[in-house]
Amino acid sequence: MNATDIKTVEDYQKLVEKLNQYSHDYYVLDQETVTDKEYDVLYQQLLKIEASHPDWVRPDSPSKRVGGEVLSGFEKVTHEIPMLSLSNAFNLEELQAFDDRNQKAVGHPVTYVCELKIDGLSISLRYENGVFVQGATRGNGTVGEDITANLRTVKSIPLRLKTDFTGEVRGECYMPKSSFEQLNDKREAEGQAVFANPRNAAAGSLRQLNTKVTASRNLTVFLYQLLREEPVTSQEEALESLKQLGFRVNPDRTVTQSMAAIWTFIEHMTEKRHHLPYEIDGIVLKVNDVADQQKIGFTVKGPKWAIAYKFPADIKETVVREVRWTVGRTGVVTPTAIMAPVHLAGTIVQRASLHNVDLIVAKDIRIGDTVVVHKAGDIIPEVTHVVLEKRPKDSQPLEIPKTCPACHEPLTHLKEEVALRCMNPNCPAQLVEGLSHFVSRNAMNMTGIGPRLITQLYQAGYVKSLTDLYRLDEEKLVSLPGIKEKSAKKVLDALKDSRKRPLNAVLFGLGIRHVGAKAARLIAEHFGTMDAITHATMEEVEQIDGVGTIIAESLTTFFSLPESIEMVKEFEKIGLTLTLKKEAVDTSRSNVFRNKTIVLTGKLANYTRPELKQLLTDLGADVTGSVSKKTDIVIAGEDAGSKLEKAEQLNVSIWDEKQLEARLKDLNHE
Ligand code: IVH
């Protein structure tokens, strides 16, 4: 289906359903049935069609998931059926006692469903006639908060089900370990406080008043409870029905009457949990049969027919041998504890980031201290606290550096940040980090050039800036220890190939604060050329969907520096790609658009303004903002206003979108 095929509301409906199916395959079933690129093409068509037919937009359109609503607060939601909690068990004996009580209550052996205890936040989702109408937090169990707008951005939560189900489902919303890691890496590089674990990160992400932030956090869900008018007869049936309805249900479970089998499952998961992509903190045992559950009953706190076995906390003691301070690309200075190696949650740990000065001061971590370590998100080693009883008598509080460990310039502790920062733009550590970023995969993708070679090149005095990289030759390279002719050639090839990297990769490679790979792509697509980007105003950058004030400010500040402009000029001389590659359009040939002054107005169905502007500019037209006597053509879409009126007054040629497309088609046939 291409854009021009979407003519009717039915075509639009089909497109929404198709995209939702792809999304369901990916986010619920973990199956990729379409490539990112194919999805993106269809999604862009959807946006276009929605822009020109706002009355068609369905509440379950994928465009409704991007967030953007800014909430003033969260309304209260009363849970008709309270969201209870579970009592805990910490060993086999306690589980056996639980089973004994249940058998006594029902008078026969009991079957249990053992599920993973996902370490996230409980959520409740209400559907009416198959449509997602409300999402809430647990709160105090009776009253929670309405987080519907935030949960809408969670892609594994269906906005519309395949059946007209009315009822409530409950489960856990969580942040996968990898997303947690990435988020914290980003926050640390930006000098922001890191989240202690994925659970806190998920909680912080769900309670965002700006739902765009929630949308960017990659949250997901597992559902495990089904509340509907006609009750289910067992927990197994509930899980199966949830799956049939289109919800994401955790596949790891066991159904058995045997405590020995349950313990085997627990032991198996105790090991496997370190390899799962999300955090679990235990196993929940639930009586399967609902009739049995009713016989066993509830306490005020929760059901007596379910219990949570909690894994013992994976913690170890070790000794801090040294604290190292390192400078990142943006000048943030981060302390790392170097410790005596210990075995922890599946790996040997000997270093842990101490994140920032505030944290060291709060925890009062000193060299020689015995500390307790655990793994945040089951992956990132972290010092939880100092064992004060074991502190050596002569220990001294850790000295916080006043000068940069790399360039020895004074460090700054900005008020709004938790980080210490080296403000020297010529700091060697920052330069080396910046160079390493420039050559990395998502930037200039120079295979064969890594942080080690960058450090060597810097120390040899060959490379001090991004443009110096392109001044390397074989002679310089082979003069470095360990670099032979063959690897020198590889480096030179990588440098040559990097000239073909697209504009967005070059922009990302500059390492401008807050301008990540995605923002770089959006900015490059919007402006089309590096020249336009360097001249863009904050307002223009801010207008781009998905780019906020912080990014806009950082980008424009960067390009307000003469040295940045100088570097771009050098890039041009070197031959880097500084324009977005479009399908080759032969501008040398005469065409109806060449040398014409054109004004665009109103909503166009098949083009975004910047897209059409770029296309016409490529054809040699001058696309301007206001209608005057000099204007040759006004292209008017739907709801065109004053510009159209003015064009009529001045007798300027007015084309509608159909006429425009006809001329464009003619060009292709010429
Ligand atoms: S069943 C009546 N099943 O653990 C409560 N809970 O204290 C029914 N949790 O608040 C909860 N995974 O947030 C259940 N597979 C699972 C779970 C699970 C995580 C959380 C849930 C609940 C807490 C128990």
Side-chain angles (χ1 to χ4, degrees):
M1 203 187 298
N2 57 47
T4 43
D5 287 331
I6 302 170
K7 294 219 172 61
T8 62
V9 67
E10 286 76 26
D11 294 338
Y12 166 74
Q13 309 263 18
K14 268 190 210 144
L15 181 59
V16 170
E17 273 153 32
K18 191 171 184 174
L19 285 166
N20 282 347
Q21 183 62 46
Y22 289 146
S23 198
H24 176 83
D25 293 345
Y26 187 75
Y27 291 103
V28 178
L29 306 177
D30 294 323
Q31 288 165 6
E32 206 171 312
T33 44
V34 68
T35 64
D36 281 359
K37 209 164 166 195
E38 282 168 306
Y39 184 92
D40 206 48
V41 168
L42 292 175
Y43 184 67
Q44 293 304 326
Q45 285 180 10
L46 178 94
L47 294 185
K48 249 186 232 169
I49 212 80
E50 290 189 344
S52 49
H53 295 280
D55 52 317
W56 288 1
V57 179
R58 280 179 27 166
D60 64 332
S61 160
S63 67
K64 292 277 168 194
R65 291 195 185 273
V66 295
E69 239 176 294
V70 178
L71 314 169
S72 53
F74 298 102
E75 303 271 316
K76 298 271 176 261
V77 175
T78 304
H79 301 298
E80 260 174 56
I81 301 170
M83 292 181 80
L84 302 171
S85 60
L86 300 174
S87 46
N88 295 327
F90 295 94
N91 51 48
L92 180 57
E93 289 70 49
E94 286 171 358
L95 291 180
Q96 241 142 11
F98 165 73
D99 182 38
D100 290 345
R101 284 195 299 274
N102 291 334
Q103 294 213 31
K104 211 164 154 200
V106 300
H108 57 76
V110 177
T111 303
Y112 297 97
V113 179
C114 303
E115 296 169 19
L116 306 190
K117 188 169 182 308
I118 313 297
D119 199 8
L121 296 118
S122 346
I123 49 154
S124 135
L125 310 174
R126 276 204 60 76
Y127 285 79
E128 270 166 28
N129 300 316
V131 176
F132 174 52
V133 289
Q134 188 175 66
T137 62
R138 177 177 181 273
N140 64 10
T142 313
V143 179
E145 285 180 320
D146 185 331
I147 51 162
T148 315
N150 304 77
L151 288 174
R152 251 179 210 294
T153 69
V154 175
K155 303 237 182 48
S156 52
I157 295 180
L159 299 178
R160 181 191 292 234
L161 304 170
K162 291 218 172 75
T163 69
D164 61 356
F165 169 77
T166 295
E168 193 179 326
V169 296
R170 292 178 180 175
E172 209 75 356
C173 182
Y174 68 92
M175 184 180 284
K177 290 177 187 173
S178 57
S179 309
F180 163 72
E181 243 181 312
Q182 275 171 21
L183 176 65
N184 265 0
D185 280 354
K186 192 165 158 260
R187 290 176 71 89
E188 191 155 296
E190 288 172 359
Q192 290 176 280
V194 291
F195 288 109
N197 51 50
R199 189 176 190 283
N200 287 5
S205 307
L206 270 187
R207 292 193 79 267
Q208 285 287 335
L209 291 173
N210 179 353
T211 56
K212 257 197 182 152
V213 178
T214 316
S216 72
R217 293 285 174 82
N218 198 21
L219 299 173
T220 181
V221 289
F222 279 127
L223 281 310
Y224 47 72
Q225 203 176 353
L226 177 62
L227 302 166
R228 60 173 190 208
E229 210 158 298
E230 182 208 333
V232 286
T233 60
S234 72
Q235 174 62 8
E236 257 189 308
E237 189 196 326
L239 295 174
E240 192 46 44
S241 304
L242 283 166
K243 218 169 125 188
Q244 292 306 324
L245 282 168
F247 292 105
R248 192 157 181 262
V249 174
N250 193 285
D252 268 318
R253 60 173 168 273
T254 196
V255 183
T256 176
Q257 291 192 340
S258 144
M259 270 298 130
I262 290 176
W263 194 250
T264 307
F265 180 68
I266 288 178
E267 282 181 328
H268 170 66
M269 290 314 308
T270 305
E271 186 41 44
K272 187 176 169 187
R273 75 178 175 125
H274 301 306
H275 309 290
L276 288 173
Y278 45 86
E279 244 196 303
I280 59 171
D281 59 341
I283 301 292
V284 182
L285 275 61
K286 298 175 184 176
V287 168
N288 188 29
D289 195 286
V290 170
D292 285 351
Q293 290 178 0
Q294 281 161 352
K295 280 187 208 148
I296 299 164
F298 291 82
T299 67
V300 270
K301 196 180 154 232
K304 284 197 275 181
W305 46 262
I307 200 163
Y309 167 82
K310 296 287 273 283
F311 293 128
D314 226 334
I315 54 168
K316 285 277 161 65
E317 279 187 11
T318 180
V319 176
V320 177
R321 290 177 172 166
E322 186 193 337
V323 171
R324 264 183 219 161
W325 298 83
T326 48
V327 192
R329 177 165 58 88
T330 55
V332 172
V333 177
T334 320
T336 304
I338 312 293
M339 304 168 295
V342 275
H343 218 276
L344 185 68
T347 61
I348 293 170
V349 167
Q350 51 187 339
R351 45 176 68 221
S353 172
L354 299 174
H355 303 303
N356 53 62
V357 181
D358 295 14
L359 199 132
I360 294 196
V361 173
K363 291 187 178 169
D364 188 19
I365 297 164
R366 304 179 182 190
I367 291 165
D369 267 347
T370 298
V371 290
V372 173
V373 285
H374 80 131
K375 276 190 182 168
D378 216 28
I379 18 179
I380 306 163
E382 207 167 61
V383 174
T384 52
H385 62 272
V386 174
V387 186
L388 285 174
E389 309 83 74
K390 297 193 181 169
R391 172 167 279 173
K393 290 219 164 50
D394 56 350
S395 98
Q396 294 294 320
L398 198 74
E399 238 177 87
I400 309 298
K402 294 202 168 44
T403 56
C404 172
C407 70
H408 312 295
E409 289 286 313
L411 294 176
T412 317
H413 195 165
L414 294 178
K415 245 201 211 108
E416 68 274 19
E417 295 189 340
V418 292
L420 267 186
R421 210 179 260 282
C422 168
M423 308 297 270
N424 172 12
N426 297 316
C427 168
Q430 284 182 60
L431 293 178
V432 167
E433 290 290 325
L435 284 160
S436 302
H437 171 76
F438 185 70
V439 302
S440 66
R441 204 161 62 96
N442 286 336
M444 302 309 274
N445 191 24
M446 299 187 193
T447 35
I449 313 184
R452 236 188 68 157
L453 179 61
I454 293 285
T455 310
Q456 277 182 297
L457 290 166
Y458 182 83
Q459 283 169 353
Y462 293 150
V463 175
K464 288 207 155 46
S465 68
L466 302 185
T467 47
D468 284 347
L469 278 168
Y470 293 93
R471 291 187 195 100
L472 286 173
D473 53 28
E474 197 177 313
E475 195 185 326
K476 283 181 188 160
L477 284 163
V478 294
S479 76
L480 298 172
I483 307 286
K484 301 245 159 54
E485 240 172 71
K486 202 168 154 203
S487 40
K489 195 174 168 301
K490 231 174 129 188
V491 167
L492 295 173
D493 282 347
L495 279 161
K496 197 165 143 216
D497 288 348
S498 79
R499 289 177 165 88
K500 293 195 210 106
R501 292 290 288 157
L503 174 63
N504 54 313
V506 181
L507 182 62
F508 172 63
L510 292 176
I512 304 168
R513 259 185 100 190
H514 305 295
V515 182
K518 189 171 161 213
R521 184 170 57 79
L522 293 172
I523 296 166
E525 277 169 4
H526 182 87
F527 290 105
T529 67
M530 187 63 102
D531 189 50
I533 297 171
T534 59
H535 289 101
T537 63
M538 236 192 96
E539 290 71 37
E540 283 169 337
V541 182
E542 247 175 341
Q543 265 177 25
I544 307 172
D545 202 14
V547 177
T549 314
I550 298 175
I551 296 177
E553 196 177 357
S554 181
L555 183 89
T556 47
T557 310
F558 180 86
F559 286 117
S560 69
L561 302 173
E563 55 266 38
S564 306
I565 302 296
E566 223 20 72
M567 179 159 61
V568 170
K569 277 192 193 143
E570 289 269 319
F571 278 176
E572 204 174 342
K573 278 190 215 148
I574 292 163
L576 299 194
T577 309
L578 302 181
T579 17
L580 260 201
K581 285 251 162 57
K582 289 256 146 198
E583 282 107 310
V585 186
D586 188 356
T587 52
S588 63
R589 226 169 37 188
S590 158
N591 67 61
V592 285
F593 300 98
R594 197 164 164 77
N595 296 331
K596 294 277 163 39
T597 303
I598 303 181
V599 174
L600 311 178
T601 180
K603 277 193 218 116
L604 297 160
N606 295 325
Y607 302 95
T608 61
R609 284 269 183 97
E611 231 179 352
L612 185 57
K613 185 174 172 182
Q614 184 70 49
L615 177 64
L616 297 174
T617 312
D618 286 345
L619 288 164
D622 184 12
V623 181
T624 62
S626 57
V627 181
S628 72
K629 274 192 277 182
K630 284 192 197 138
T631 311
D632 295 301
I633 307 162
V634 167
I635 296 172
E638 256 180 66
D639 298 325
S642 61
K643 287 184 193 172
L644 182 59
E645 268 173 40
K646 191 147 184 214
E648 278 164 351
Q649 279 166 18
L650 296 174
N651 236 348
V652 173
S653 293
I654 300 167
W655 294 2
D656 62 18
E657 201 172 351
K658 270 206 194 107
Q659 287 168 295
L660 165 74
E661 285 194 324
R663 304 291 169 113
L664 288 171
K665 236 188 214 153
D666 288 344
L667 278 188
N668 288 336
H669 295 303
E670 262 170 31

